[in-house]
C-alpha cells in the first residue's frame, strides 16, 4: 500500500474498474425491494458547476447508501438537450446546435464520471435524439385524440430576442426567463395542453405529498388557485351582450357601483364603438397590454382605468352600472370581468376614490356604522347585510349560499369554481426542439401524422443520432421541411412549423429511464410497474411550479392513457440549496465561479464530494469556503494514514468481547456503535450528511493518532476502522474502496452491507453520583460516565429531593469530586 494518499491514481483505478464491472446496473424488472433515486437532469451547457456537484453528490450518496441497505437502486442520468441556449450558442460559434449539444454532452459525461457517480450509464438518454422524441410525438397524437392537446388563436408572450413564445410561467417580472429581455404580447395560433382538466386532482393530491417540502406544496397550491363562488350575468344596457362575472363574495353583490373589464376582454373591441370614448379606450388597451408584460402577476401597480361609455344592469337590484376597462383585472383568472364593490374590496376602493365613483356599504360589522363617503379604506370583515333587498339583516357568510341559490332560481347566476391555472402553451417558433407531428391541409384542416410515420425528424439532423447534418434555421424558414402531402387526401400540404416547449421533454424523462431501450412504446408497462414512482427526487426549488407541476400533470395523464399505474411522479422531494460565494450565487456574470474540474484536479473528487456534503445541510445554501476544502482534504489524509499504519489489525479476529476490554478500548468500542447509530439516523431522518460526517470525524478523534490507535485492542481497532470506511463509502467511494481492498477485504464496498449497531454496546456506562448538602447524604444521581462537572451541578440542583433540603437557600459553593460526588454548601 502506498504510504501517500495518491488520489489521482486511486480515483482513476476505481473509475476504470466500475466502468468495466458496471456494479450499479440494474434490470428493468425487479427481483427485490426497489429504490429509485433521481437528480434533475442537466442541460448540456458544456461544463458542470458547483451546483451540479452538490446536487449529484447528494443523489449519489443516497443511491450508494440504499444499495448497502439491501435495495435494488435505479440511479440514471441523461440530458435535457433541446432548447434555445444551444441554438443561440451554436449560432454564435458558427456551428450546428446538434454538434454543439453532443460535444457538450461528451465533455460533461467525462466530468460526471470523474466525480465517481454511481449511475447506470446504460440508461443514459438525450431528449434531442429521435429515439426519445418519437414517443413524445406519439403521445401528442394520443393527447390530440382525447382533447388533451388543441390549437387556438391566442395572445401570447413573445420574446423578440429569442424569437419564440413563452408560457406564462416563463415570464419573470415582464422579462424572458432565458435572455432577460422584455416580453411583448402577440396574437397568433399555437398549441396547448389541457392541464386545466386536471386542476382539481393536481390540487387535491397535494395533500398526499407528505414527502415534499411544505414551501413547494404551498407554491403549487397558490399557482393552481382554486376559488368557489357565484357566476352571474350582467346584461349590457341597450345591447345583446352579457358580461359574466365570477365572485367569491356574493354577499356584497348589492354593493356593486361599477364593472371592471380586463383589457383583453373580447367585449372591449366593440363595446365603445361609435362613442366618444372609443379612441381613449383603445389607446388604454394598447398601453396596458404592454405594461402588463413588464410586471409579474402579483406585482402591485397603480389602479388605472377608462370609462367605456356603456352600462350594464345588476340583476339583483336593477342598478345601472358603468363599465370600465381597468389595468388590474386579469383575463387569466375568472372571466376577465370583475363586479366592483369598493366598500368591501380595497382594490376597488382605491379605484373608486381615484375616479370619483360611489362607495356603497352593504355589510356592517358588529358594533360599527360605516358610511361610504367617510371610509378611509375598504371593510372586508364579516357582519350583517344592509342595503341588500330581501337579504338585509342576514349574517354575511350565511347569506352567500342564499344569494347563489336565488341567482340560480332566477336564471341569471349559478355556483361556480374557477382556477388561476391556465392551459399550457407548448408551441415554440425555434429550430432546436421536437417537431409537432401534424400537417395543415387546405381541404382537410389539421391532420395528424400517422403513428407509423413517426418520428417526424428535425431537419438537418441524423435519423438515428440527432447529430448535425445540415440546416438549423427555424422550421418556418425551411421550405423543404414544410412542403409535404396530406396523410388524409394526398394533396399538397404544409407541416407544422412549431416545435415543442422543452419542458415537454422534461415532463416524462423519469418514466423513460425505467425502460430506455423499449421499442414498442414510450415505456414498458412491466418496468413502469416495477420502478415507478421515483422514491427520491432532488433538485432546485426554482422548479416548483414549472417542471414539477408539469411532471405531475404528465404522470396523471399517462395514467389515464394507460401507460403507467401511479398517480404522482415523485414520492419524496429534496430541494437543495444554492452554492454561494461571498454571499452571492455563483455565476459567470459575477465572475465568482469555482470550476469543479480544477478542484478535482487539485484535491480529488472525494475531497470535493466530502466538502459539498459537510459544509451545510442539503436544503440550506452552501457558502463556498476554500478552507473547508482544505479541511476535507486533511481529514481524508488523516484517515488514510490511520489505516495505513495499522493494517496489521485487519489480520486478526473481528469478534469483540467488551467485558475483556481495557477502559480506552471499551470507550472506542462504544463510540463505534454510537457512530453507526448517529450516521444512520442522520441519513434516514433528513439526509443531513453534514452531521453524519461529523459523527465519523468524532470516531476518528476517539481512535486517536496512528500511534495511539496501535495501543487499542486490535479487534476494537479493526471494527472502528472498518466502520469508518463503511460509513464514509457513500460520501468518498474511491478513497474507501482503496483502503478496504488494501486492508485485505475481498468483497468490494459497493457490494457490502451497511454496518449494524448494538443498542447495548452504544449505551453509555452509568455512574452513581452521591449528592450531599453540607456534607450529608441527601440523594443520588445516575449519570453517563462522561458527564462533565457543570452538568453534574445542574442535575444536582434540579433533583427534587435536593430542592426540598435547600428550602430556597442559595448555595455558597458546589464541590464536585469527579465520578464520585457533588457537595452543595449552603
Amino acid at each position: 500500500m502506498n504510504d501517500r494518499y495518491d488520489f489521482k491514481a486511486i480515483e482513476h483505478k476505481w473509475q476504470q474498474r466500475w466502468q468495466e464491472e458496471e456494479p450499479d446496473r440494474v434490470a428493468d424488472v425487479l427481483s427485490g425491494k426497489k429504490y429509485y433515486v433521481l437528480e434533475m437532469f442537466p442541460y448540456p451547457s458544456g461544463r458542470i458547476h458547483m451546483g451540479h456537484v452538490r446536487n449529484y453528490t447528494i443523489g449519489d450518496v443516497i443511491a450508494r447508501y440504499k444499495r448497502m441497505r439491501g435495495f435494488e437502486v435505479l440511479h440514471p442520468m441523461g440530458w435535457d438537450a433541446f432548447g434555445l441556449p444551444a441554438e443561440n450558442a451554436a449560432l454564435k460559434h458558427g456551428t450546428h446546435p446538434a454538434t454543439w449539444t453532443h460535444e457538450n454532452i461528451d465533455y460533461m459525461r467525462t466530468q460526471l464520471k470523474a466525480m465517481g457517480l454511481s449511475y447506470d450509464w446504460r440508461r443514459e438518454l438525450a431528449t434531442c435524439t429521435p429515439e426519445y422524441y418519437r414517443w413524445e410525438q406519439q403521445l401528442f397524437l394520443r393527447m390530440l385524440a382525447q382533447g388533451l392537446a388543441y390549437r387556438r388563436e391566442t395572445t401570447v408572450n413573445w420574446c423578440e430576442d429569442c424569437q419564440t413564445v413563452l408560457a406564462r410561467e416563463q415570464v419573470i417580472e415582464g422579462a424572458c426567463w432565458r435572455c432577460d429581455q422584455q416580453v411583448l404580447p402577440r396574437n397568433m395560433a399555437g398549441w396547448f395542453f389541457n392541464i386545466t382538466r386536471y386542476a382539481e386532482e393536481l390540487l387535491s393530491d397535494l395533500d398526499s405529498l407528505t414527502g415534499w417540502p411544505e414551501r413547494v406544496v404551498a407554491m403549487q397550491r397558490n399557482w393552481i388557485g382554486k376559488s368557489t363562488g357565484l357566476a352571474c350575468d350582467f346584461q349590457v344596457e341597450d345591447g345583446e351582450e352579457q358580461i359574466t362575472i365570477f365572485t367569491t363574495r356574493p354577499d356584497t353583490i348589492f354593493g356593486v357601483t361599477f364593472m371592471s373589464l380586463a383589457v383583453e376582454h373580447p367585449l372591449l373591441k366593440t363595446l365603445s364603438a361609435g362613442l366618444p370614448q372609443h379612441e381613449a379606450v383603445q389607446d388604454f388597451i394598447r398601453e396596458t397590454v404592454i405594461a402588463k408584460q413588464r410586471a409579474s402577476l402579483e406585482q402591485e401597480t397603480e389602479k388605472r382605468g377608462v370609462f367605456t361609455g356603456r352600462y350594464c344592469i345588476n340583476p339583483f337590484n336593477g342598478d345601472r352600472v358603468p363599465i370600465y376597462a381597468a389595468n388590474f383585472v386579469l383575463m387569466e383568472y375568472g372571466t376577465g370581468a370583475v363586479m366592483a364593490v369598493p366598500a368591501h374590496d380595497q382594490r376597488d376602493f382605491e379605484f373608486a376614490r381615484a375616479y370619483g365613483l360611489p362607495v356603497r356599504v352593504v355589510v356592517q360589522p358588529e358594533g360599527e356604522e360605516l358610511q361610504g363617503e367617510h371610509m378611509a379604506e375598504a371593510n372586508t370583515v364579516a357582519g350583517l347585510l344592509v342595503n341588500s333587498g330581501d337579504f338585509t339583516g342576514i349574517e354575511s357568510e350565511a347569506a352567500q349560499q342564499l344569494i347563489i341559490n336565488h341567482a340560480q332560481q332566477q336564471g341569471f347566476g349559478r355556483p361556480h369554481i374557477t382556477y388561476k391555472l391556465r392551459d399550457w402553451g407548448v408551441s415554440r417558433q425555434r429550430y432546436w426542439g421536437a417537431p409537432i407531428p401534424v400537417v395543415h391541409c387546405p381541404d382537410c384542416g389539421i391532420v395528424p401524422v400517422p403513428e407509423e410515420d413517426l418520428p417526424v425528424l428535425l431537419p438537418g439532423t441524423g435519423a438515428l443520432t440527432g447529430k448535425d447534418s445540415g440546416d438549423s434555421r427555424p422550421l418556418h424558414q425551411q421550405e423543404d421541411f414544410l412542403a409535404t402531402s396530406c396523410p388524409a387526401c394526398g394533396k399538397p400540404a404544409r407541416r407544422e412549423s412549431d416545435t415543442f416547449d422543452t419542458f415537454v421533454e422534461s415532463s416524462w424523462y423519469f418514466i423513460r429511464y425505467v425502460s430506455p431501450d423499449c421499442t414498442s412504446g414510450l415505456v414498458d408497462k412491466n418496468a413502469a410497474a416495477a420502478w415507478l414512482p421515483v422514491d427520491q427526487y432532488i433538485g432546485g426549488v426554482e422548479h416548483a411550479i414549472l417542471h414539477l407541476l408539469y411532471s405531475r400533470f404528465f404522470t396523471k395523464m399517462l395514467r389515464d392513457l394507460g401507460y403507467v399505474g401511479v398517480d404522482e411522479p415523485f414520492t419524496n422531494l429534496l430541494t437543495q440549496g444554492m452554492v454561494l460565494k461571498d454571499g452571492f450565487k455563483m455565476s459567470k456574470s459575477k465572475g465568482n465561479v469555482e470550476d469543479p474540474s480544477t478542484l478535482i484536479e487539485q484535491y480529488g473528487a472525494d475531497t470535493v464530494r466530502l466538502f459539498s456534503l459537510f459544509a451545510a445541510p442539503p436544503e440550506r445554501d452552501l457558502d463556498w469556503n476554500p478552507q473547508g476544502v482544505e479541511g476535507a482534504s486533511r481529514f481524508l489524509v488523516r484517515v488514510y494514514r490511520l489505516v495505513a499504519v495499522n493494517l496489521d489489525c485487519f489480520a486478526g479476529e473481528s469478534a469483540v468481547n467488551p467485558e475483556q476490554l481495557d477502559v480506552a478500548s471499551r470507550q472506542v468500542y462504544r463510540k463505534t456503535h454510537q457512530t453507526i447509530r448517529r450516521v444512520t439516523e442522520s441519513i434516514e431522518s433528513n439526509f443531513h450528511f453534514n452531521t453524519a460526517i461529523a459523527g465519523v470525524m468524532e470516531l476518528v478523534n476517539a481512535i486517536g493518532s496512528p500511534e495511539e490507535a496501535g495501543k487499542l485492542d486490535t479487534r476494537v481497532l479493526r471494527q472502528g476502522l472498518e466502520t469508518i470506511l463503511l460509513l464514509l463509502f457513500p460520501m468518498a467511494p474511491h478513497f474507501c474502496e482503496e483502503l478496504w481492498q488494501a486492508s485485505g477485504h475481498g468483497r468490494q464496498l459497493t457490494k457490502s452491507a451497511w454496518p449494524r449497531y448494538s443498542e447495548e454496546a452504544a449505551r453509555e456506562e452509568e455512574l452513581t453520583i452521591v449528592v450531599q448538602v453540607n456534607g450529608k447524604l441527601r440523594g443520588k444521581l445516575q449519570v453517563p460516565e462522561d458527564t462533565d462537572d457543570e452538568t453534574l451541578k445542574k442535575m444536582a440542583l434540579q433533583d427534587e429531593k435536593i430542592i426540598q433540603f435547600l428550602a430556597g437557600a442559595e448555595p455558597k459553593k458546589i464541590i464536585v469530586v469527579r465520578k464520585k460526588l457533588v457537595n452543595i454548601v449552603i
Side-chain angles (χ1 to χ4, degrees):
M1 179 179 179
N2 197 327
D3 292 338
R4 183 178 63 87
Y5 172 35
D6 184 353
F7 61 82
K8 289 184 179 180
I10 291 171
E11 291 176 3
H12 176 75
K13 166 187 171 180
W14 286 102
Q15 286 166 19
Q16 285 290 110
R17 188 160 178 179
W18 294 332
Q19 182 168 328
E20 293 168 4
E21 297 178 358
E22 296 184 317
D24 308 310
R25 180 170 177 170
V26 289
D28 289 351
V29 180
L30 287 164
S31 59
K33 54 182 181 178
K34 72 99 175 179
Y35 195 87
Y36 184 178
V37 57
L38 182 65
E39 307 93 63
M40 294 179 185
F41 65 167
Y43 170 74
S45 59
R47 300 288 186 275
I48 65 171
H49 51 67
M50 284 305 297
H52 288 132
V53 169
R54 191 181 192 203
N55 187 15
Y56 304 143
T57 299
I58 290 169
D60 193 56
V61 173
I62 296 171
R64 291 182 181 277
Y65 169 75
K66 288 295 183 179
R67 290 189 193 100
M68 296 178 77
R69 295 306 300 260
F71 289 89
E72 290 190 46
V73 175
L74 175 58
H75 188 212
M77 173 51 69
W79 311 96
D80 191 7
F82 272 139
L84 191 60
E87 191 169 342
N88 289 342
L91 289 171
K92 181 179 178 181
H93 291 84
T95 187
H96 193 279
T99 301
W100 176 264
T101 298
H102 283 281
E103 286 178 353
N104 288 347
I105 287 173
D106 290 342
Y107 189 89
M108 292 177 69
R109 185 191 302 111
T110 300
Q111 287 185 299
L112 294 180
K113 288 187 175 181
M115 287 176 59
L117 301 170
S118 60
Y119 293 126
D120 182 351
W121 285 104
R122 181 183 62 86
R123 297 174 182 270
E124 181 184 9
L125 56 81
T127 59
C128 64
T129 59
E131 58 261 36
Y132 184 85
Y133 67 71
R134 70 170 295 185
W135 304 116
E136 184 167 288
Q137 292 176 342
Q138 182 195 69
L139 175 62
F140 172 82
L141 297 180
R142 296 182 182 183
M143 292 174 67
L144 191 62
Q146 296 294 323
L148 287 165
Y150 62 93
R151 191 172 188 260
R152 64 174 169 87
E153 289 280 338
T154 184
T155 301
V156 298
N157 301 309
W158 177 260
C159 177
E160 186 66 26
D161 197 60
C162 297
Q163 286 289 296
T164 193
V165 171
L166 301 176
R168 180 176 65 149
E169 297 89 336
Q170 294 168 325
V171 181
I172 311 299
E173 296 183 350
C176 172
W177 74 299
R178 281 291 193 191
C179 70
D180 206 33
Q181 297 303 305
Q182 179 184 344
V183 174
L184 297 172
R186 175 179 285 193
N187 291 324
M188 62 190 304
W191 289 96
F192 289 80
F193 285 169
N194 194 353
I195 190 174
T196 54
R197 185 184 293 186
Y198 288 85
E200 183 59 36
E201 187 180 359
L202 287 167
L203 180 66
S204 61
D205 281 2
L206 287 171
D207 293 335
S208 70
L209 300 180
T210 55
W212 285 38
E214 292 182 7
R215 176 186 176 191
V216 174
V217 171
M219 291 170 73
Q220 289 209 4
R221 196 181 303 280
N222 292 337
W223 189 260
I224 296 168
K226 179 181 180 179
S227 297
T228 59
L230 168 70
C232 186
D233 304 321
F234 284 61
Q235 187 70 40
V236 175
E237 186 182 57
D238 300 326
E240 298 290 328
E241 306 95 335
Q242 284 186 338
I243 298 174
T244 300
I245 61 93
F246 169 77
T247 178
T248 59
R249 290 291 307 276
D251 54 309
T252 66
I253 201 162
F254 285 86
V256 175
T257 62
F258 63 97
M259 178 70 68
S260 303
L261 299 185
V263 293
E264 301 89 352
H265 198 290
L267 268 182
L268 286 179
K269 294 179 181 178
T270 58
L271 198 62
S272 59
L275 298 177
Q277 293 88 351
H278 184 69
E279 186 174 347
V281 170
Q282 299 309 308
D283 288 344
F284 177 78
I285 290 172
R286 283 189 291 269
E287 294 169 5
T288 303
V289 166
I290 292 174
K292 279 188 174 185
Q293 301 298 325
R294 299 174 181 171
S296 68
L297 293 175
E298 296 79 17
Q299 185 175 331
E300 285 294 324
T301 57
E302 179 189 359
K303 310 299 183 294
R304 296 178 57 246
V306 62
F307 178 47
T308 64
R310 299 292 296 276
Y311 294 82
C312 59
I313 306 301
N314 186 334
F316 279 87
N317 57 14
D319 278 3
R320 191 167 179 254
V321 179
I323 304 171
Y324 279 75
N327 69 341
F328 57 83
V329 182
L330 300 176
M331 194 66 208
E332 298 90 351
Y333 181 63
T335 65
V338 174
M339 66 171 212
V341 187
H344 305 292
D345 181 277
Q346 185 61 29
R347 180 187 56 183
D348 296 342
F349 179 86
E350 293 172 9
F351 189 93
R353 286 289 188 249
Y355 290 87
L357 296 164
V359 178
R360 181 188 304 148
V361 176
V362 292
V363 179
Q364 285 286 5
E366 185 178 356
E368 296 188 49
E369 197 165 323
L370 300 176
Q371 296 181 335
E373 60 270 23
H374 301 307
M375 293 174 68
E377 62 182 4
N379 169 67
T380 58
V381 179
L384 295 180
L385 295 196
V386 297
N387 303 318
S388 298
D390 294 340
F391 301 97
T392 297
I394 300 175
E395 196 276 326
S396 58
E397 292 186 1
Q400 291 190 12
Q401 190 58 50
L402 296 175
I403 289 173
I404 293 173
N405 293 343
H406 175 75
Q408 192 166 18
Q409 291 166 3
Q410 297 300 312
F412 54 72
R414 57 222 152 263
H416 189 65
I417 297 174
T418 191
Y419 302 87
K420 290 182 182 177
L421 182 68
R422 301 290 90 185
D423 279 346
W424 175 11
V426 297
S427 284
R428 298 296 179 266
Q429 291 67 46
R430 299 299 297 178
Y431 167 75
W432 192 233
I436 297 175
V438 297
V439 168
H440 299 274
C441 175
D443 295 334
C444 306
I446 295 174
V447 181
V449 172
E451 286 193 12
E452 59 268 22
D453 292 341
L454 299 180
V456 175
L457 291 173
L458 193 62
T461 62
L464 295 178
T465 65
K467 292 187 176 180
D468 170 19
S469 64
D471 204 341
S472 63
R473 291 173 298 161
L475 297 186
H476 65 269
Q477 299 175 12
Q478 299 200 37
E479 185 62 29
D480 288 346
F481 171 78
L482 295 173
T484 187
S485 58
C486 174
C489 69
K491 294 180 181 179
R494 308 283 284 179
R495 290 192 185 277
E496 173 63 62
S497 62
D498 287 352
T499 53
F500 284 124
D501 177 7
T502 56
F503 276 100
V504 177
E505 283 86 64
S506 62
S507 296
W508 65 279
Y509 78 106
F510 52 90
I511 294 174
R512 184 63 181 173
Y513 274 142
V514 306
S515 55
D517 300 324
C518 180
T519 58
S520 60
L522 183 148
V523 67
D524 177 84
K525 290 186 178 181
N526 291 329
W531 285 108
L532 295 177
V534 175
D535 295 283
Q536 183 65 60
Y537 201 38
I538 306 162
V541 73
E542 66 270 18
H543 299 290
I545 292 172
L546 287 168
H547 165 58
L548 291 172
L549 184 63
Y550 293 160
S551 296
R552 296 184 62 223
F553 160 57
F554 255 65
T555 300
K556 295 175 185 301
M557 176 184 65
L558 289 169
R559 175 204 61 198
D560 292 346
L561 293 175
Y563 287 93
V564 300
V566 296
D567 298 326
E568 291 288 341
F570 315 119
T571 303
N572 297 289
L573 173 68
L574 172 61
T575 53
Q576 91 282 354
M578 295 186 296
V579 179
L580 308 177
K581 188 172 182 180
D582 300 324
F584 296 96
K585 181 181 179 180
M586 286 188 179
S587 69
K588 293 179 181 178
S589 62
K590 293 185 175 67
N592 63 351
V593 174
E594 293 289 340
D595 186 352
S597 295
T598 302
L599 293 170
I600 291 172
E601 177 68 22
Q602 185 176 356
Y603 294 101
D606 286 328
T607 292
V608 176
R609 288 169 61 115
L610 200 67
F611 164 75
S612 70
L613 296 166
F614 184 60
E619 72 278 5
R620 300 281 297 276
D621 290 344
L622 183 157
D623 289 312
W624 171 258
N625 180 356
Q627 289 74 33
V629 182
E630 290 280 359
S633 178
R634 287 195 301 271
F635 173 69
L636 291 182
V637 170
R638 181 183 176 189
V639 174
Y640 188 92
R641 184 165 180 266
L642 184 62
V643 174
V645 171
N646 291 283
L647 285 177
D648 291 346
C649 75
F650 294 97
E653 296 180 6
S654 58
V656 178
N657 184 350
E659 301 299 326
Q660 299 176 352
L661 299 177
D662 57 72
V663 173
S665 296
R666 189 163 61 250
Q667 289 175 340
V668 170
Y669 174 72
R670 183 186 309 120
K671 189 67 174 178
T672 297
H673 286 267
Q674 291 174 341
T675 302
I676 298 171
R677 179 175 64 190
R678 177 181 176 181
V679 172
T680 304
E681 291 174 351
S682 292
I683 295 175
E684 287 286 350
S685 61
N686 49 21
F687 298 134
H688 276 195
F689 306 116
N690 57 319
T691 60
I693 294 169
V696 177
M697 289 178 172
E698 289 181 12
L699 176 57
V700 172
N701 290 337
I703 292 174
S705 68
E707 294 72 28
E708 291 170 330
K711 300 175 183 179
L712 295 171
D713 182 278
T714 56
R715 293 163 298 178
V716 169
L717 178 58
R718 173 178 177 172
Q719 188 182 85
L721 295 179
E722 287 179 338
T723 296
I724 290 169
L725 298 179
L726 285 162
L727 298 181
L728 275 183
F729 170 67
M731 294 87 161
H734 316 83
F735 174 86
C736 293
E737 281 284 22
E738 181 68 15
L739 293 181
W740 190 256
Q741 183 188 66
S743 58
H745 295 86
R747 186 182 180 86
Q748 293 180 32
L749 281 173
T750 193
K751 299 176 182 178
S752 298
W754 188 254
R756 297 182 178 182
Y757 63 89
S758 162
E759 286 287 1
E760 179 65 28
R763 186 177 297 115
E764 290 282 358
E765 291 189 10
E766 291 189 340
L767 299 174
T768 300
I769 303 296
V770 171
V771 182
Q772 300 174 338
V773 177
N774 289 338
K776 294 184 178 180
L777 176 63
R778 298 302 187 192
K780 295 180 180 180
L781 300 173
Q782 293 296 126
V783 300
E785 186 180 35
D786 59 352
T787 306
D788 59 66
D789 291 357
E790 289 304 314
T791 302
L792 287 174
K793 291 177 184 179
K794 290 179 183 178
M795 293 177 68
L797 291 172
Q798 292 170 358
D799 186 85
E800 292 183 5
K801 292 182 180 178
I802 303 305
I803 291 172
Q804 293 177 5
F805 281 110
L806 293 178
E810 285 293 325
K812 296 178 180 178
K813 185 190 300 184
I814 302 178
I815 303 167
V816 177
V817 178
R818 187 162 178 76
K819 296 188 178 182
K820 290 187 178 180
L821 64 83
V822 178
N823 184 20
I824 302 171
V825 181
I826 57 176

